[in-house]
Amino acid sequence: MSGAEINATETAIYSPEMQAELDRIDRLAPARVDFSRPPDAAMRRIDADFNAVWNIDLPDVETVRRLTLPADPSVDAAECEAVVYQPADVGEGLILFVHGGGWAFMDLDTHERFMRLLSIEARTTLIGIQYRLAPEHPHPAGLRDVVSALRQILAQRDAHGLPLGPVVIAGDSAGANLALATMLHEIDAGREGPAGGLLFYGVFGADFETPSYQTFADAQMLTRPIMQQLWDWYVPEVSRRDDPLAAPNNANDDQLRALPPLFLVVAEVDPLASDSLELKRRLDSLGRDDGLWVEQGVVHGFMQMTAVLEAARRTMREAGKAVRAFIVKTPRT
């Protein structure tokens, strides 16, 4: 429901299909990540196996290919693996997708269904990138990788076999954080940015006392203690979390005014819900008209569940419409 608000003074109720899926996952009893210690390859495999429960029945696309984006010393970015999806009825333009996972988990494989379906709904070629993960590579390593990817895509599409047309940047959770921070980075640098931003339940601040953090501190899928640990791995120095490139809700009004059009997706039963609602409030106060879609009764990460949740499929259709709107409103490049 576009433009809806969340009443975080009362505990939200999971929707019937969301509750049924949470019950199903409990019955399956897949192993869960132990957030009491830093992630390693084994922990990341556990997380990948957990997400594989939903990464099924992959939608058909016309082509899939892997490529490597070279390192970029100008921004201290590393070489990044990438995957490109092109749907059968593709239009012009391109989506740069940044996966979530708390800056420390997940990869191109965990988000395969997500990326395939987004490209289909948007009728747009999509390139997903694998950035460096924390805590081995804390802020701003991953951000620099995304900045480099955006710059290469904007300037060197022929070299990578990517289509012309406007570029939309998208991301979920920590990926939404990196996508928004990338836009702010390029604004500050005076460089070309994307035509729009598609941000799914982003982590935009490090304030753990917001209304949604208080109400949904122990919600399914993501809790306040987990987010606190993820922040400790991503930005260990608390004082550095004031930086808008780490916590984008700290951006000033001029930076927010300069952003391209945004479409914000919010999961109602999510400790991070207030992050997006606060960003939307500030954008509205500046006279902007950015999109907001609040999906009631669902948890953080619900867009991984498009194979089983109609709410996720419904939201993906709206996201696809938003991408098409960004593209048609932007002159062809």
Side-chain angles (χ1 to χ4, degrees):
M1 43 191 71
S2 182
E5 293 292 331
I6 290 176
N7 179 7
T9 62
E10 299 179 1
T11 301
I13 299 174
Y14 299 120
S15 69
E17 70 165 356
M18 186 76 262
Q19 186 63 65
E21 181 57 18
L22 294 173
D23 292 344
R24 183 179 78 94
I25 294 300
D26 282 343
R27 290 194 301 271
L28 290 176
R32 309 292 176 99
V33 169
D34 177 5
F35 287 94
S36 68
R37 58 187 181 88
D40 55 20
M43 283 180 61
R44 288 180 175 130
R45 184 69 257 164
I46 288 172
D47 185 67
D49 289 344
F50 182 83
N51 279 273
V53 170
W54 302 297
N55 212 23
I56 57 174
D57 299 329
L58 300 178
D60 290 333
V61 293
E62 186 74 11
T63 62
V64 181
R65 63 186 175 92
R66 295 268 178 163
L67 58 90
T68 300
L69 298 178
D72 183 354
S74 70
V75 290
D76 196 20
E79 180 179 273
C80 291
E81 297 303 310
V83 61
V84 179
Y85 297 102
Q86 180 177 305
D89 60 345
V90 66
E92 70 170 0
L94 182 68
I95 300 169
L96 169 60
F97 185 82
V98 190
H99 70 80
W103 306 287
F105 294 92
M106 297 192 178
D107 54 29
L108 298 177
D109 293 332
T110 61
H111 279 66
E112 183 172 6
R113 193 177 209 283
F114 194 139
M115 292 187 287
R116 282 172 175 257
L117 192 55
L118 179 56
S119 73
I120 291 169
E121 293 292 348
R123 293 185 293 109
T124 306
T125 301
L126 180 149
I127 178 170
I129 66 159
Q130 181 59 54
Y131 52 89
R132 287 171 290 176
L133 298 177
E136 299 95 326
H137 303 284
H139 174 79
L143 172 61
R144 288 170 175 167
D145 294 345
V146 180
V147 167
S148 173
L150 177 63
R151 291 184 180 183
Q152 291 187 54
I153 288 167
L154 288 171
Q156 303 170 27
R157 277 187 260 186
D158 286 346
H160 300 303
L162 298 171
L164 297 177
V167 175
V168 174
I169 192 168
D172 67 308
S173 193
N177 168 286
L178 293 171
L180 183 52
T182 293
M183 289 184 265
L184 295 172
H185 184 283
E186 297 302 82
I187 288 168
D188 290 346
R191 297 183 64 103
E192 180 184 2
L198 176 61
L199 306 176
F200 297 89
Y201 37 78
V203 47
F204 302 136
D207 177 4
F208 304 115
E209 298 301 327
T210 66
S212 60
Y213 263 118
Q214 293 184 53
T215 302
F216 308 129
D218 298 314
Q220 294 290 316
M221 302 303 294
L222 182 68
T223 67
R224 177 162 55 187
I226 289 175
M227 274 310 309
Q228 289 171 322
Q229 180 62 81
L230 292 169
W231 270 106
D232 286 344
W233 289 334
Y234 182 55
V235 189
E237 298 177 39
V238 174
S239 62
R240 295 186 60 193
R241 298 176 192 173
D242 291 336
D243 183 352
L245 298 185
N249 273 355
N250 291 327
N252 62 42
D253 287 352
D254 288 340
Q255 290 171 310
L256 294 184
R257 284 193 192 94
L259 287 168
L262 304 179
F263 187 79
L264 308 176
V265 171
V266 182
E268 182 189 17
V269 193
D270 181 358
L272 298 182
S274 293
D275 283 21
S276 291
L277 295 178
E278 172 59 16
L279 176 58
K280 172 63 172 167
R281 184 196 66 76
R282 288 192 61 199
L283 294 169
D284 287 349
S285 74
L286 298 174
R288 291 172 52 102
D289 184 24
D290 299 277
L292 175 70
W293 181 268
V294 178
E295 192 62 55
Q296 304 289 331
V298 296
V299 299
H300 185 85
F302 78 101
M303 294 302 293
Q304 288 289 88
M305 309 176 193
T306 53
V308 294
L309 289 187
E310 173 55 30
R313 295 189 290 270
R314 175 172 58 240
T315 301
M316 192 68 85
R317 291 192 291 270
E318 294 301 317
K321 292 176 187 176
V323 171
R324 296 309 310 164
F326 293 150
I327 289 174
V328 301
K329 291 178 182 178
T330 305
R332 192 174 187 272
T333 58

